[in-house]
Amino acid sequence: MRWGVRMNNLTALFSEGMKIANQIKLDGLATASPGSGVHLLFGSVPSTQSLNIKFGRAFEAFFEKAVRLGDNNFVVMPAGVWSEINKDLDLIFRDDVRKIIYYRELKLNINLDTEKIVSTYEKVKYITRYLEQKYPNYKIDSAVLTWGTFDLEDLTAQSKLKKAKEYNVDVEDPNTFFQIVGLPMSKNAYETYFRDLGNLFKGEN
């Protein structure tokens, strides 16, 4: 794929993300409430928890779009709840040539309490085993995609990565993800883009 086409695809991805962010803003976010430290210091700003939850759910579509726009031959598989196992799959796609199925559990904030992060890792292991049984002719490439930081080396929650190793679950950063799907992305472009989205909620745009 020509570089110009790749850049156009990146522009299309960023445009998709902006639409998602605008919809989140339109729907409204919970704000910090009186009695909290955040409200005392900053007033009625968007609740961090509300941002993490709403962005985390809505931006699953952003990463699926990245798969569709990337320089690859991947087939995007249905996400959402798979009734046969009653589990919600965030992102799943396959390579029918190399016989690989990629399953990603998306986490905007991996710095969860121990109980929640363990539950996430157990979910990934369960779904991985199911996919291995359902698609015996495919290699299952599963991971937690923690997209709140572009490189894992910048992640402060290193203890959560150690816990992942204990459960034999891979943790992937956006840097690696965009390489896999064949869409050029730099750390600067990624972080600048999301800072711009953040400005929407500061009333700067």
Side-chain angles (χ1 to χ4, degrees):
M1 183 182 290
R2 298 189 308 278
W3 178 253
V5 175
R6 289 183 177 181
M7 292 308 295
N8 287 339
N9 286 351
L10 190 59
T11 299
L13 177 64
F14 285 168
S15 177
E16 179 71 14
M18 184 62 75
K19 290 177 184 177
I20 296 170
N22 277 314
Q23 187 60 51
I24 293 173
K25 184 176 183 179
L26 184 64
D27 292 342
L29 288 169
T31 56
S33 57
S36 69
V38 172
H39 185 273
L40 177 63
L41 293 170
F42 306 110
S44 296
V45 296
S47 159
T48 301
Q49 183 179 17
S50 179
L51 270 171
N52 277 330
I53 292 173
K54 289 201 172 184
F55 264 83
R57 290 174 179 168
F59 268 74
E60 291 173 8
F62 176 85
F63 288 93
E64 180 177 306
K65 187 75 170 182
V67 177
R68 295 183 186 277
L69 290 171
D71 186 10
N72 62 67
N73 294 311
F74 297 150
V75 177
V76 175
M77 300 169 67
V81 176
W82 284 27
S83 59
E84 58 266 42
I85 53 174
N86 195 30
K87 295 291 183 182
D88 188 1
L89 279 69
D90 293 343
L91 178 63
I92 183 167
F93 52 97
R94 69 177 187 266
D95 183 335
D96 288 332
V97 176
R98 298 172 61 201
K99 297 294 183 181
I100 301 174
I101 290 176
Y102 297 88
Y103 157 57
R104 296 294 182 265
E105 178 74 10
L106 274 63
K107 286 295 175 187
L108 172 56
N109 178 22
I110 200 172
N111 196 18
L112 305 168
D113 62 49
T114 300
E115 184 178 340
K116 288 183 178 179
I117 199 63
V118 165
S119 176
T120 295
Y121 295 153
E122 289 177 342
K123 175 186 176 183
V124 171
K125 286 179 68 71
Y126 179 88
I127 292 175
T128 300
R129 288 194 297 267
Y130 172 76
L131 293 173
E132 287 172 341
Q133 295 172 3
K134 184 175 178 67
Y135 302 99
N137 296 324
Y138 283 77
K139 173 187 174 183
I140 307 302
D141 182 321
S142 60
V144 174
L145 173 55
T146 177
W147 59 278
T149 183
F150 190 71
D151 289 306
L152 284 181
E153 62 186 25
D154 296 330
L155 191 67
T156 58
Q158 292 296 319
S159 63
K160 302 304 188 293
L161 301 185
K162 292 179 181 178
K163 181 64 70 173
K165 289 181 181 179
E166 293 177 16
Y167 280 81
N168 198 29
V169 171
D170 290 330
V171 178
E172 182 176 277
D173 55 28
N175 189 8
T176 303
F177 172 80
F178 285 110
Q179 291 179 42
I180 290 173
V181 302
L183 196 60
M185 181 74 74
S186 68
K187 180 178 180 179
N188 181 65
Y190 188 83
E191 293 181 346
T192 298
Y193 173 69
F194 278 100
R195 295 290 193 281
D196 287 343
L197 293 187
N199 287 337
L200 287 173
F201 300 90
K202 294 178 181 178
E204 296 178 9
N205 282 335

